Structure formats: structure tokens, C-alpha cells
Amino acid sequence: MATKVLMEALSPTMEEGRLVEWKKNEGDAVAQGDVLAEVETDKAVMELVARAAGTLIKQDVAAGSTVPVGTVLAYIGAAGEAVGPTEGPKDGKTEGAPAPAAASPQPASAPPAAPAVPAAPAPVAAKPAAVPSVVPSASPSAAGRVKASPLARKLAGEKGVDLAGISGSGPEGRVVKRDVESAQPVSPSVAGRSDRPTVRPSDVFTDVPLTQIRKTIAKRLVQSIGPVPTFYLTTEVDMERAAEAREALKASLGEEGKVSFNDIVLKAVATALAQHPECNAWWQDDHLRQWHTVHLGMAVAIPDGLITPVIRNAESKSLREIAAESRDMAQRARDRKLTPEEYTGATFSVSNLGMFDIDEFTAIINPPEAGIIAVGRLAEKPVVVNGQVTVRRRMRLTMSCDHRVIDGATGAQFMKTLKLMLENPLALVF
């Protein structure tokens, strides 16, 4: 009996995934644990591994397709074994682990979306993930109803052919291999790029389909800015001593002493949160959860949007450890190589736009966290010190607070502690 390969929930919040690339082809031998495909989740590109051994008999979903969790992607079984999209598991055996509790409904016994997908893939699934020719008469919804064989879909992705513009010669108008081979491809510069989202251009606008991470960002923003009663606290910090300490570290330790201003802010926030646990908390509908350790999220910009790697137990780590970990996690975030446990579970977050020459801004809280610090640029400003006008390096910080968890005075006390630590770096070692 053939084993189904399902679209697994590869992250706690994943509801659908985009099949970026098949690593095994139809007819290939498969061992348990082999990588079958790469899947783009809502946060990263991850590997889908085989849960059974045998031969990859059939691929039901083409590279570039986006399908719900639980959708049948392929079948593994004995070579030559007959399978079909309507075949049901007689022994309950399925390929893929069940979704975590926080993800979408679990597909192990009866995936809700799986029966319809092989015959009528989702809109993105029916189009190759390259820039197609403009077909004015075909709307995205119409393109999603194109009937085509998996081989035809794969070939269309390689050639950059829009299936919506092809008349199928197979049974019931199904597009088959020969139809794609005779179709006119788009320019070679974009043909075959199945790892990119489909773009529909016109004379006056361009429709760019949402990536998985952009969909998740949109959902999280709606969850935050609407239901969460937010207020903001802004303060300006004198960073002259922190800048001098940073320069001294680099001069004495070389590359080993290299830390960024963002690393200093992360260390200071973690230390201040340890003194103000009421800000290091989650809103849990019927109770507040105050954390005894600081899992600090740091916002990292990536081409598709934003991701927040988490520095765990940050309050107990040295500045050097935070600097090394933040660099490593930021790079892997940009490479889409983080695992789910590395970008979930933050108790508080920091977002820094100073490197983009932004003076100050307000960041949006990432529920269930109760606060986030927005960091502006470091700038030289004339200020009065001991009755004399002098130039000092200054930085503005804005804290977004969930008023259900943090009151005004509570947030202000935390910001006062944070400012004290940044203006007196020695406070970070006590």
C-alpha cells in the first residue's frame, strides 16, 4: 500500500506551505529520512523528509505551488504501484507528522483540503512560479482551475510557460506534456525560476502574490494593532559613555571585542527586564504570565519582510555572547535557515531602524508579548552638560506597551532603568 507524502506543519503557526523544489523525482528510490523537497513556511525554508522507504511513485503537486497543511504532495511505495488522487488510506498510513497544536487543523486522519487539491489546485499551485506572459482573459481564479498533469506542471515551471494560456489535448481538456512542449515560453532570463512567486504584470500595475512570511506578518499585525490597547513611551539616551566603552573594547580586544550599539541595547534591555518582570510578560486572556527568564526577540529585516530570532536566557549572557549570537542568528535569518524554536517564544522584543537613519518610530507589539522597544539612530546633538553646551551622541528609544499588562508608571520605571544602564555601561556588569 502506497504511503502518502503530506504537506506537514513545519512550524507552530504554519497553515499552508509553498513547495519550493523537489529534491527527489518520480521513480527515484527513497530511504526513510531522505530529503524529499524544500518547503517555504511562514518563517523559513525547511526540508520535508521521507517518513517511509520505497520509490517515489508520483508527485501530485508541482514546484512553486502553495497548498494547505495536510495536502497530499506525492506517494511512496513499490515501483510500478498504481496510485491516484482519489485513493484513500486503507490502513490509515500517511506520510508526514501531525501538525502541532498551535498550527492549523491536524490532517492525520482526514485532511480537510486534501481531497480537492489534486483535481483543482489552489490558485498559486496552477501557475509556474516564474514571471508568465500576460494573459488578459485569465484571472487568477480562472488560472487556478487549469487541469494539468504533474509532469506538465513541472515542465511548465522549467520553461516559464503559463498553464492558463494553454489548450489541453488530454482527457477533458487536461494539459499534458506535449502541450507544454509546444507552448511558447517567456524570456530565458525568467524561465524555470520555480523558487520565485508568480508576478502578473500589466500596463498600469503589477500583482505580486503574497509570500508565506508576508501573509503571517499581515495576520500578526491585525492581531496586534486592533485588539491590543497600546500606549507609547519615548526617552532620549546619552550614548557617549557607551560609545567610548565600545571603542575601548575594540581597541583592546580587536575583533573579539567587536560589538554593535544594537548588541549593547539588547544586553541593557535584557538586564533591565530582569529587574522589571512585570514588563517581561505575556497576556494570556484570563491571566498574565510573568517570565523568570528573558527570551529576547530581535527584529531582522529580510527580503520578504521581517523575522524575529530569539536570544534565549539573554539576561544571563555576557555582552560578547549576545554579540556573537545576534550576528549568527541575523545571518541565518536572512538565509532563511532558522528552525521554529529559534524564532518563537520571545518574552519581549527589540526593533532597531537606526542603521536606516531613522530618528525614532513606534514598533508594533508581537502578541502575546506585552512590549517592544523601537531604537532610533545614534546622532551627535548639542546638549547642555554641567551648564555648558557640548556635542554628545544621543539616541531615542520608544517603548510600545500593552496597557492590559503594563501601566504607564510601570513602563516608565522600566525605561528609567534602561536609560540608566545605557548611560552608565558599568551598570551592565553588576
Side-chain angles (χ1 to χ4, degrees):
M1 181 66 184
T3 300
K4 292 180 180 179
V5 179
L6 301 180
M7 175 63 76
E8 299 182 18
L10 298 174
S11 78
T13 56
M14 179 176 168
E15 296 179 357
E16 61 182 10
R18 185 170 73 90
L19 201 158
V20 177
E21 179 186 4
W22 280 107
K23 295 297 187 180
K24 294 285 187 179
N25 297 317
E26 291 183 0
D28 286 355
V30 175
Q32 189 171 354
D34 281 356
V35 177
L36 297 176
E38 287 188 346
V39 172
E40 180 189 11
T41 73
D42 53 345
K43 294 291 186 180
V45 176
M46 305 184 69
E47 294 177 342
L48 181 70
V49 301
R51 309 293 181 185
T55 299
L56 188 61
I57 305 169
K58 182 181 179 182
Q59 295 174 351
D60 263 5
V61 174
S65 303
T66 299
V67 294
V69 168
T71 299
V72 177
L73 303 178
Y75 295 86
I76 295 175
E81 183 177 353
V83 294
T86 59
E87 179 181 349
K90 297 177 181 177
D91 57 356
K93 185 179 182 183
T94 57
E95 168 68 13
S104 56
Q106 298 196 15
S109 59
V117 171
V124 180
K127 297 177 289 186
V131 180
S133 306
V134 179
V135 186
S137 61
S139 65
S141 59
R145 293 192 292 271
V146 174
K147 293 183 179 180
S149 68
L151 183 57
R153 294 185 190 280
K154 179 180 178 182
L155 184 58
E158 294 171 352
K159 293 186 63 177
V161 173
D162 187 354
L163 289 174
I166 300 177
S167 298
S169 61
E172 299 180 354
R174 186 183 183 88
V175 178
V176 294
K177 177 182 177 183
R178 61 176 176 271
D179 300 322
V180 178
E181 289 175 337
S182 61
Q184 181 66 34
V186 296
S187 63
S189 63
V190 296
R193 294 190 331 209
S194 61
D195 60 328
R196 299 184 181 272
T198 303
V199 178
R200 282 201 168 275
S202 77
D203 292 336
V204 294
F205 63 85
T206 299
D207 287 341
V208 181
L210 296 175
T211 61
Q212 299 307 111
I213 189 170
R214 179 55 59 185
K215 291 178 183 178
T216 301
I217 289 172
K219 290 179 181 178
R220 300 292 286 173
L221 293 182
V222 171
Q223 291 172 359
S224 176
I225 204 65
V228 176
T230 307
F231 70 93
Y232 307 96
L233 300 170
T234 300
T235 190
E236 188 168 282
V237 181
D238 189 315
M239 292 292 288
E240 196 66 27
R241 290 182 180 175
E244 292 170 353
R246 176 174 176 264
E247 291 158 4
L249 279 173
K250 186 175 181 181
S252 61
L253 299 177
E255 287 300 311
E256 291 186 11
K258 186 177 180 180
V259 297
S260 68
F261 283 108
N262 194 61
D263 297 328
I264 296 172
V265 172
L266 291 172
K267 172 62 177 175
V269 169
T271 306
L273 284 171
Q275 297 183 25
H276 298 271
E278 61 275 10
C279 294
N280 188 44
W282 283 359
W283 172 259
Q284 298 284 273
D285 291 329
D286 61 348
H287 65 279
L288 303 181
R289 176 171 296 169
Q290 291 187 1
W291 290 87
H292 300 151
T293 188
V294 179
H295 300 318
L296 196 58
M298 58 171 197
V300 175
I302 61 176
D304 290 335
L306 188 74
I307 192 169
T308 309
V310 180
I311 299 176
R312 301 197 180 277
N313 307 303
E315 82 289 352
S316 63
K317 292 180 177 177
S318 68
L319 179 57
R320 183 185 298 184
E321 289 173 324
I322 287 178
E325 191 169 339
S326 66
R327 282 196 299 271
D328 172 66
M329 297 191 80
Q331 185 57 54
R332 289 193 292 116
R334 296 184 187 102
D335 295 337
R336 306 293 296 276
K337 297 298 183 183
L338 294 176
T339 59
E341 57 269 20
E342 291 178 313
Y343 58 76
T344 57
T347 59
F348 194 93
S349 292
V350 173
S351 180
N352 191 340
L353 292 180
M355 67 286 294
F356 298 108
D357 210 27
I358 299 299
D359 288 317
E360 66 175 285
F361 67 103
T362 55
I364 296 176
I365 297 169
N366 185 25
E369 298 165 42
I372 182 171
I373 292 286
V375 184
R377 73 186 179 104
L378 202 72
E380 292 186 336
K381 295 182 180 181
V383 295
V384 177
V385 179
N386 298 325
Q388 300 292 322
V389 176
T390 184
V391 174
R392 307 279 290 186
R393 283 169 280 195
R394 310 277 288 186
M395 182 177 69
R396 294 179 75 81
L397 302 176
T398 300
M399 180 180 177
S400 303
C401 306
D402 182 344
H403 213 328
R404 299 172 300 181
V405 181
I406 302 173
D407 292 326
T410 304
Q413 290 166 358
F414 166 76
M415 290 291 278
K416 182 179 180 180
T417 300
L418 176 59
K419 180 175 179 175
L420 173 67
M421 290 181 171
L422 289 172
E423 292 184 342
N424 301 275
L426 280 177
L428 297 176
V429 301
F430 290 99

